[in-house]
Amino acid sequence: MKILVAMNAFKGNLSGDEACSLVASGVRRGFPEAQVQEIPLADGGDGTIDVLTKALGGHTETLKVTGPYGSPVEARVGLVGSNTAIIESAACSGLALGPVEKADVFSARSHGVGEIMLWAAKRGIKRIIIGIGGTAMNDGGIGMVQAAGGKVLDNTHCQVMPGVFGLKQVFTVEAGNIPAIFEDVEIIGISDVTNSLIGPGGATYVYGPQKGLKPGELQGVDRAMDKYGLILARDLGRDPRCVPMSGAGGGLGAALWSFFGANLVDGAGFILKETGCLDEMNTADIVITGEGRVDAQTEKGKVPHAVGKAGLERGVPVIVVGGGLDDSILHKHPPEYSCLFDSTVRPMVTQRAMDRIDATLPFVAEQIARLCRTMLLSRPVRQEKSAGGIVLRTCQGKTQVLMIKDRFGFSALPKGHVEPGETWEQGALREVKEETGIDCTIVSKACSQRYRFFAGNGTPLEKTVAYYVMQEVSGKLKPQFDEVSGVLWVNEEDLDRIETYPNLRTMLQELLTAYTQGDIP
């Protein structure tokens, strides 16, 4: 069975790579026979650079650019070969980059994004992927445009100020040097939101408050954004105001689309394709995905929804594990998900859950894997019949049982297939002789045991083994080549200390008790 682990980051706690590693470790414990593959994912926000550079064999470099409040910041850029650059807008213009005392949405700017784009174009890059999200500004991307060579001008034909202050000054725009610099450069904007530029569902009303806009300021800023969109339509011939994703990044999407002709695409879906995850899903039996919180918003561009949708289209079950499940999920189970699990194992505060994630996430993944394994083994596709021997003796006053070391390193009883034309008894005697070198005689029938396991090709099998109590007659201990690594006599009191199969240990203890009491000749 192939289990694909495709996790997004648990924001503020685990990267996508770390989340995949923890889940995969649990799956391997719970289903050791499974083929487990890990593909970390992202949705265009934090982690996009790491996910894509790892999947595509790239690397990162660090540049010094203008931060959201004017001070220099260091931002990473991903590079794949000599052709592709990957930028995270949050890394150069993010809310988390500036000191709290300087956090002012009216002056917050997007220049850092444009500076990296310009650097990439001058380097000869022909494909620039920009993750849009987590930004501090609501400037419509004017800072990015100015830094990349475009002109956003006021009524005196000067470049406007940064931020919302500048947004309100926009009188005219010009492409400037952008067409020449970015000629033949493909620009792709990826995001996990689809908000338009203006209106109640646009950049200002939805994301402005979390960036510092007060309720009384929203209408005025949205009007400025609307006017800006009209100017883009008039001067560039591209009206972004109702374009899906144009409101991402405080209007960064609008500027990318209008000035650069960027393709604005769903981030999770884009990364699923770029990382090869979609191709791997075609051959997967189960996919496990998830992120830090799963709620009603998850189906709006988040990784679990994108993976679930792809699984539904391919007929592959998708299991979702969240750092937390919101109550909204209780009332509307998304049809794309086969089932949902919470990584917390008992009620706890968020910080405690985050502190325990290294233990709880792999534990829950292990239980999922155990359940999958159990369900698969409950429907074996083939039954086999085998016979084996329980060879007992008393040596120096101690009861002993003859055991082999199997190819997995466990102590086990000699057993094997009953060949065509053999009786069960004949098969049992032959197997004991072949695997241990000892000739025996049968004393009595002991019991039958049923085993379920996976064959080498992953097929679930059921084997019924008829065990016979035997006594040694002659021969020397000699393990069977390629099948048995050792043969040994085990004292009754040592059974608890050897590494063997739990059901076998229980059976032997019961049988040896009967033997010592004289119930078995």
Side-chain angles (χ1 to χ4, degrees):
M1 171 173 277
K2 176 179 175 179
I3 300 177
L4 177 61
V5 179
M7 303 292 292
N8 191 14
F10 282 44
K11 192 170 183 179
N13 198 14
L14 299 172
S15 67
D17 196 44
E18 290 168 335
C20 276
S21 179
L22 288 173
V23 170
S25 68
V27 171
R28 291 186 177 102
R29 286 200 304 268
F31 199 158
E33 300 91 347
Q35 173 193 350
V36 183
Q37 183 172 4
E38 303 169 44
I39 301 182
L41 297 175
D43 54 22
D46 294 342
T48 296
I49 289 176
D50 290 329
V51 165
L52 288 178
T53 52
K54 179 178 180 179
L56 302 176
H59 68 283
T60 63
E61 292 188 17
T62 301
L63 306 178
K64 186 167 285 188
V65 299
T66 303
Y69 306 111
S71 301
V73 297
E74 290 188 341
R76 291 191 311 148
V77 56
L79 295 169
V80 180
S82 59
N83 188 59
T84 301
I86 307 155
I87 302 168
E88 288 180 16
S89 60
C92 36
S93 303
L95 267 172
L97 293 178
V100 175
E101 62 273 12
K102 288 189 177 182
D104 176 18
V105 67
F106 281 89
S107 61
R109 65 208 71 187
S110 55
H111 289 70
V113 179
E115 289 168 2
I116 298 181
M117 291 175 68
L118 182 62
W119 173 86
K122 289 185 174 179
R123 188 184 172 113
I125 295 292
K126 294 300 181 183
R127 187 178 189 234
I128 301 177
I129 302 165
I130 303 170
I132 312 172
T135 60
M137 69 278 179
N138 196 74
D139 70 344
I142 59 177
M144 172 190 67
V145 170
Q146 291 171 334
K151 296 181 180 181
V152 184
L153 309 171
D154 61 18
N155 58 7
T156 67
H157 213 67
C158 295
Q159 293 275 24
V160 299
M161 297 170 60
V164 173
F165 288 127
L167 182 68
K168 292 184 174 182
Q169 295 176 323
V170 178
F171 184 75
T172 186
V173 299
E174 298 175 12
N177 295 324
I178 287 176
I181 295 172
F182 292 89
E183 184 181 10
D184 298 326
V185 177
E186 179 188 15
I187 309 290
I188 304 170
I190 61 175
S191 178
D192 63 347
V193 302
T194 57
N195 304 80
S196 59
L197 184 63
I198 61 170
T204 301
Y205 277 102
V206 176
Y207 302 108
Q210 70 190 46
K211 299 177 182 183
L213 285 176
K214 298 174 182 177
E217 298 168 333
L218 296 176
Q219 186 178 32
V221 175
D222 190 59
R223 283 177 179 170
M225 195 73 84
D226 184 50
K227 179 186 174 186
Y228 169 62
L230 285 169
I231 293 171
L232 292 177
R234 182 196 68 199
D235 295 350
L236 300 177
R238 292 173 69 83
D239 185 348
R241 290 176 299 165
C242 297
V243 172
M245 222 173 285
S246 60
L252 200 67
L256 286 170
W257 186 80
S258 297
F259 280 91
F260 298 88
N263 293 316
L264 303 181
V265 300
D266 171 64
F270 176 84
I271 291 175
L272 275 175
K273 184 177 180 181
E274 289 288 310
T275 57
C277 190
L278 291 179
D279 293 334
E280 294 300 333
M281 287 180 72
N282 290 330
T283 56
D285 296 293
I286 293 174
V287 180
I288 301 177
T289 187
E291 58 186 18
R293 182 174 178 81
V294 178
D295 54 27
Q297 297 300 311
T298 302
E299 60 183 288
K300 298 179 179 179
K302 302 296 184 181
V303 165
H305 182 260
V307 175
K309 183 180 178 183
L312 191 65
E313 292 169 350
R314 289 162 174 76
V316 180
V318 173
I319 298 172
V320 178
V321 183
L325 300 183
D326 187 74
D327 285 350
S328 59
I329 294 295
L330 299 177
H331 308 293
K332 185 183 177 183
H333 189 287
E336 295 84 2
Y337 307 157
S338 297
C339 51
L340 287 149
F341 291 87
D342 193 320
S343 68
T344 55
V345 294
R346 61 180 175 81
M348 60 182 73
V349 297
T350 301
Q351 188 56 53
R352 175 65 173 164
M354 293 172 71
D355 292 341
R356 295 278 295 153
I357 196 71
D358 286 356
T360 59
L361 186 57
F363 174 81
V364 171
E366 180 181 347
Q367 306 318 304
I368 293 170
R370 286 181 179 275
L371 179 60
C372 293
R373 185 178 188 274
T374 300
M375 293 302 294
L376 195 59
L377 284 175
S378 70
R379 291 178 172 83
V381 299
R382 190 170 83 242
Q383 280 83 28
E384 295 181 352
K385 294 181 179 180
S386 296
I390 305 172
V391 186
L392 301 176
R393 75 177 186 181
T394 301
C395 181
Q396 298 180 348
K398 294 184 178 182
T399 302
Q400 296 180 327
V401 59
L402 183 63
M403 303 191 77
I404 63 167
K405 283 279 188 180
D406 66 16
R407 62 181 182 273
F408 303 110
F410 287 91
S411 294
L413 294 172
K415 65 182 184 298
H417 299 291
V418 176
E419 299 291 347
E422 285 185 324
T423 65
W424 288 87
E425 292 84 353
Q426 289 170 336
L429 290 169
R430 177 184 51 76
E431 284 293 336
V432 171
K433 171 68 174 178
E434 289 179 355
E435 293 192 354
T436 70
I438 301 296
D439 287 301
C440 295
T441 182
I442 291 177
V443 174
S444 65
K445 172 77 181 290
C447 62
S448 291
Q449 280 211 330
R450 187 175 66 176
Y451 302 88
R452 285 179 176 172
F453 59 97
F454 292 97
N457 62 358
T459 302
L461 302 180
E462 179 179 282
K463 179 181 287 188
T464 301
V465 183
Y467 284 108
Y468 294 86
V469 178
M470 300 181 182
Q471 289 180 341
E472 66 173 325
V473 175
S474 62
K476 294 182 180 180
L477 297 182
K478 182 180 179 182
Q480 184 181 17
F481 180 70
D482 282 344
E483 288 291 330
V484 177
S485 62
V487 182
L488 65 161
W489 288 99
V490 179
N491 293 329
E492 180 179 3
E493 61 266 29
D494 293 330
L495 280 176
D496 285 334
R497 291 190 286 270
I498 64 172
E499 194 170 13
T500 188
Y501 302 96
N503 57 344
L504 187 61
R505 192 193 311 274
T506 302
M507 180 190 76
L508 283 175
Q509 287 171 335
E510 293 175 354
L511 192 70
L512 288 170
T513 298
Y515 180 76
T516 55
Q517 292 175 348
D519 296 333
I520 298 176

